[in-house]
mmCIF file of all heavy atoms in Angstrom:
data_model
loop_
_atom_site.group_PDB
_atom_site.id
_atom_site.type_symbol
_atom_site.label_atom_id
_atom_site.label_comp_id
_atom_site.label_asym_id
_atom_site.label_seq_id
_atom_site.Cartn_x
_atom_site.Cartn_y
_atom_site.Cartn_z
ATOM 1 N N THR A 229 195.237 43.520 174.143
ATOM 2 C CA THR A 229 195.614 44.684 174.923
ATOM 3 C C THR A 229 196.805 45.413 174.333
ATOM 4 O O THR A 229 197.414 46.246 174.989
ATOM 5 C CB THR A 229 195.950 44.264 176.361
ATOM 6 O OG1 THR A 229 197.023 43.307 176.348
ATOM 7 C CG2 THR A 229 194.743 43.648 177.056
ATOM 8 N N VAL A 230 197.169 45.138 173.072
ATOM 9 C CA VAL A 230 198.297 45.810 172.443
ATOM 10 C C VAL A 230 197.947 47.273 172.227
ATOM 11 O O VAL A 230 196.864 47.588 171.753
ATOM 12 C CB VAL A 230 198.634 45.147 171.092
ATOM 13 C CG1 VAL A 230 199.673 45.964 170.350
ATOM 14 C CG2 VAL A 230 199.156 43.741 171.313
ATOM 15 N N PRO A 231 198.831 48.213 172.588
ATOM 16 C CA PRO A 231 198.547 49.608 172.354
ATOM 17 C C PRO A 231 198.284 49.873 170.882
ATOM 18 O O PRO A 231 198.938 49.321 170.009
ATOM 19 C CB PRO A 231 199.836 50.309 172.822
ATOM 20 C CG PRO A 231 200.453 49.362 173.788
ATOM 21 C CD PRO A 231 200.104 47.990 173.283
ATOM 22 N N ALA A 232 197.310 50.738 170.596
ATOM 23 C CA ALA A 232 196.828 50.927 169.233
ATOM 24 C C ALA A 232 197.489 52.080 168.513
ATOM 25 O O ALA A 232 197.183 52.318 167.357
ATOM 26 C CB ALA A 232 195.311 51.148 169.248
ATOM 27 N N GLY A 233 198.356 52.841 169.142
ATOM 28 C CA GLY A 233 198.960 53.954 168.432
ATOM 29 C C GLY A 233 200.111 54.561 169.191
ATOM 30 O O GLY A 233 200.361 54.240 170.351
ATOM 31 N N ASN A 234 200.832 55.460 168.522
ATOM 32 C CA ASN A 234 201.937 56.187 169.124
ATOM 33 C C ASN A 234 201.634 57.673 169.031
ATOM 34 O O ASN A 234 201.302 58.177 167.958
ATOM 35 C CB ASN A 234 203.251 55.870 168.407
ATOM 36 C CG ASN A 234 203.686 54.438 168.625
ATOM 37 O OD1 ASN A 234 203.875 54.012 169.751
ATOM 38 N ND2 ASN A 234 203.819 53.680 167.560
ATOM 39 N N HIS A 235 201.768 58.362 170.134
ATOM 40 C CA HIS A 235 201.449 59.784 170.201
ATOM 41 C C HIS A 235 202.726 60.562 170.481
ATOM 42 O O HIS A 235 203.338 60.374 171.531
ATOM 43 C CB HIS A 235 200.410 60.042 171.290
ATOM 44 C CG HIS A 235 199.175 59.198 171.158
ATOM 45 N ND1 HIS A 235 198.077 59.584 170.422
ATOM 46 C CD2 HIS A 235 198.861 57.976 171.653
ATOM 47 C CE1 HIS A 235 197.144 58.651 170.478
ATOM 48 N NE2 HIS A 235 197.599 57.664 171.218
ATOM 49 N N PRO A 236 203.160 61.426 169.575
ATOM 50 C CA PRO A 236 204.382 62.210 169.811
ATOM 51 C C PRO A 236 204.178 63.189 170.956
ATOM 52 O O PRO A 236 203.226 63.970 170.962
ATOM 53 C CB PRO A 236 204.601 62.930 168.475
ATOM 54 C CG PRO A 236 203.259 62.926 167.804
ATOM 55 C CD PRO A 236 202.550 61.705 168.268
ATOM 56 N N VAL A 237 205.077 63.148 171.934
ATOM 57 C CA VAL A 237 204.974 64.021 173.098
ATOM 58 C C VAL A 237 206.183 64.935 173.254
ATOM 59 O O VAL A 237 206.130 65.876 174.059
ATOM 60 C CB VAL A 237 204.786 63.192 174.389
ATOM 61 C CG1 VAL A 237 203.459 62.460 174.364
ATOM 62 C CG2 VAL A 237 205.930 62.216 174.591
ATOM 63 N N ALA A 238 207.253 64.704 172.502
ATOM 64 C CA ALA A 238 208.429 65.558 172.605
ATOM 65 C C ALA A 238 209.319 65.356 171.389
ATOM 66 O O ALA A 238 209.319 64.283 170.771
ATOM 67 C CB ALA A 238 209.208 65.265 173.886
ATOM 68 N N HIS A 239 210.068 66.411 171.045
ATOM 69 C CA HIS A 239 211.048 66.366 169.949
ATOM 70 C C HIS A 239 212.392 66.858 170.481
ATOM 71 O O HIS A 239 212.458 67.891 171.155
ATOM 72 C CB HIS A 239 210.595 67.232 168.771
ATOM 73 C CG HIS A 239 209.386 66.691 168.061
ATOM 74 N ND1 HIS A 239 208.105 66.862 168.545
ATOM 75 C CD2 HIS A 239 209.268 65.978 166.912
ATOM 76 C CE1 HIS A 239 207.244 66.283 167.726
ATOM 77 N NE2 HIS A 239 207.918 65.739 166.740
ATOM 78 N N ILE A 240 213.438 66.116 170.203
ATOM 79 C CA ILE A 240 214.779 66.417 170.694
ATOM 80 C C ILE A 240 215.691 66.700 169.506
ATOM 81 O O ILE A 240 215.670 65.959 168.518
ATOM 82 C CB ILE A 240 215.343 65.241 171.519
ATOM 83 C CG1 ILE A 240 214.349 64.821 172.602
ATOM 84 C CG2 ILE A 240 216.682 65.606 172.133
ATOM 85 C CD1 ILE A 240 214.715 63.528 173.291
ATOM 86 N N SER A 241 216.496 67.764 169.608
ATOM 87 C CA SER A 241 217.417 68.136 168.534
ATOM 88 C C SER A 241 218.808 68.336 169.111
ATOM 89 O O SER A 241 218.974 68.953 170.176
ATOM 90 C CB SER A 241 216.963 69.421 167.836
ATOM 91 O OG SER A 241 215.682 69.261 167.259
ATOM 92 N N TYR A 242 219.787 67.816 168.397
ATOM 93 C CA TYR A 242 221.194 68.045 168.705
ATOM 94 C C TYR A 242 221.774 68.902 167.596
ATOM 95 O O TYR A 242 221.618 68.584 166.416
ATOM 96 C CB TYR A 242 221.957 66.721 168.807
ATOM 97 C CG TYR A 242 221.673 65.940 170.060
ATOM 98 C CD1 TYR A 242 220.528 65.153 170.170
ATOM 99 C CD2 TYR A 242 222.542 65.976 171.151
ATOM 100 C CE1 TYR A 242 220.251 64.435 171.326
ATOM 101 C CE2 TYR A 242 222.280 65.252 172.313
ATOM 102 C CZ TYR A 242 221.136 64.487 172.386
ATOM 103 O OH TYR A 242 220.868 63.772 173.528
ATOM 104 N N GLU A 243 222.439 69.981 167.972
ATOM 105 C CA GLU A 243 222.968 70.917 166.979
ATOM 106 C C GLU A 243 224.099 70.286 166.187
ATOM 107 O O GLU A 243 224.989 69.628 166.745
ATOM 108 C CB GLU A 243 223.466 72.194 167.664
ATOM 109 C CG GLU A 243 223.844 73.286 166.681
ATOM 110 C CD GLU A 243 224.246 74.555 167.404
ATOM 111 O OE1 GLU A 243 225.371 74.587 167.948
ATOM 112 O OE2 GLU A 243 223.443 75.496 167.439
ATOM 113 N N LEU A 244 224.075 70.489 164.872
ATOM 114 C CA LEU A 244 225.117 69.947 164.010
ATOM 115 C C LEU A 244 226.441 70.640 164.264
ATOM 116 O O LEU A 244 226.495 71.859 164.471
ATOM 117 C CB LEU A 244 224.727 70.115 162.541
ATOM 118 C CG LEU A 244 223.474 69.360 162.079
ATOM 119 C CD1 LEU A 244 223.165 69.716 160.630
ATOM 120 C CD2 LEU A 244 223.670 67.868 162.219
ATOM 121 N N ASN A 245 227.505 69.861 164.259
ATOM 122 C CA ASN A 245 228.849 70.399 164.444
ATOM 123 C C ASN A 245 229.491 70.566 163.071
ATOM 124 O O ASN A 245 230.141 69.663 162.552
ATOM 125 C CB ASN A 245 229.682 69.461 165.322
ATOM 126 C CG ASN A 245 231.008 70.072 165.721
ATOM 127 O OD1 ASN A 245 231.352 71.166 165.295
ATOM 128 N ND2 ASN A 245 231.752 69.351 166.538
ATOM 129 N N VAL A 246 229.283 71.730 162.472
ATOM 130 C CA VAL A 246 229.763 71.952 161.104
ATOM 131 C C VAL A 246 231.256 72.248 161.060
ATOM 132 O O VAL A 246 231.902 72.079 160.026
ATOM 133 C CB VAL A 246 228.975 73.108 160.452
ATOM 134 C CG1 VAL A 246 227.516 72.727 160.291
ATOM 135 C CG2 VAL A 246 229.092 74.378 161.279
ATOM 136 N N LEU A 247 231.846 72.701 162.171
ATOM 137 C CA LEU A 247 233.267 73.045 162.184
ATOM 138 C C LEU A 247 234.157 71.848 162.476
ATOM 139 O O LEU A 247 235.363 71.901 162.258
ATOM 140 C CB LEU A 247 233.534 74.142 163.222
ATOM 141 C CG LEU A 247 232.793 75.469 162.996
ATOM 142 C CD1 LEU A 247 233.131 76.447 164.121
ATOM 143 C CD2 LEU A 247 233.142 76.055 161.643
ATOM 144 N N GLY A 248 233.577 70.793 162.990
ATOM 145 C CA GLY A 248 234.355 69.593 163.263
ATOM 146 C C GLY A 248 235.139 69.638 164.545
ATOM 147 O O GLY A 248 235.914 68.726 164.824
ATOM 148 N N SER A 249 234.979 70.680 165.370
ATOM 149 C CA SER A 249 235.711 70.763 166.635
ATOM 150 C C SER A 249 234.930 70.060 167.723
ATOM 151 O O SER A 249 233.707 70.152 167.796
ATOM 152 C CB SER A 249 235.928 72.230 167.018
ATOM 153 O OG SER A 249 234.676 72.886 167.124
ATOM 154 N N ARG A 250 235.646 69.354 168.591
ATOM 155 C CA ARG A 250 235.002 68.633 169.670
ATOM 156 C C ARG A 250 234.643 69.610 170.784
ATOM 157 O O ARG A 250 235.363 70.538 171.082
ATOM 158 C CB ARG A 250 235.913 67.531 170.206
ATOM 159 C CG ARG A 250 236.215 66.466 169.181
ATOM 160 C CD ARG A 250 237.081 65.381 169.793
ATOM 161 N NE ARG A 250 236.410 64.712 170.892
ATOM 162 C CZ ARG A 250 235.576 63.678 170.730
ATOM 163 N NH1 ARG A 250 235.322 63.219 169.518
ATOM 164 N NH2 ARG A 250 235.013 63.109 171.772
ATOM 165 N N GLY A 251 233.493 69.362 171.412
ATOM 166 C CA GLY A 251 233.040 70.246 172.476
ATOM 167 C C GLY A 251 231.727 69.757 173.040
ATOM 168 O O GLY A 251 231.216 68.701 172.660
ATOM 169 N N PRO A 252 231.152 70.493 173.986
ATOM 170 C CA PRO A 252 229.882 70.073 174.591
ATOM 171 C C PRO A 252 228.761 70.015 173.550
ATOM 172 O O PRO A 252 228.707 70.820 172.617
ATOM 173 C CB PRO A 252 229.620 71.176 175.635
ATOM 174 C CG PRO A 252 230.936 71.836 175.864
ATOM 175 C CD PRO A 252 231.674 71.728 174.573
#
Side-chain angles (χ1 to χ4, degrees):
T229 59
V230 172
N234 292 302
H235 307 271
V237 295
H239 292 80
I240 308 170
S241 300
Y242 286 81
E243 188 176 75
L244 297 176
N245 189 356
V246 295
L247 299 179
S249 58
R250 296 182 62 86

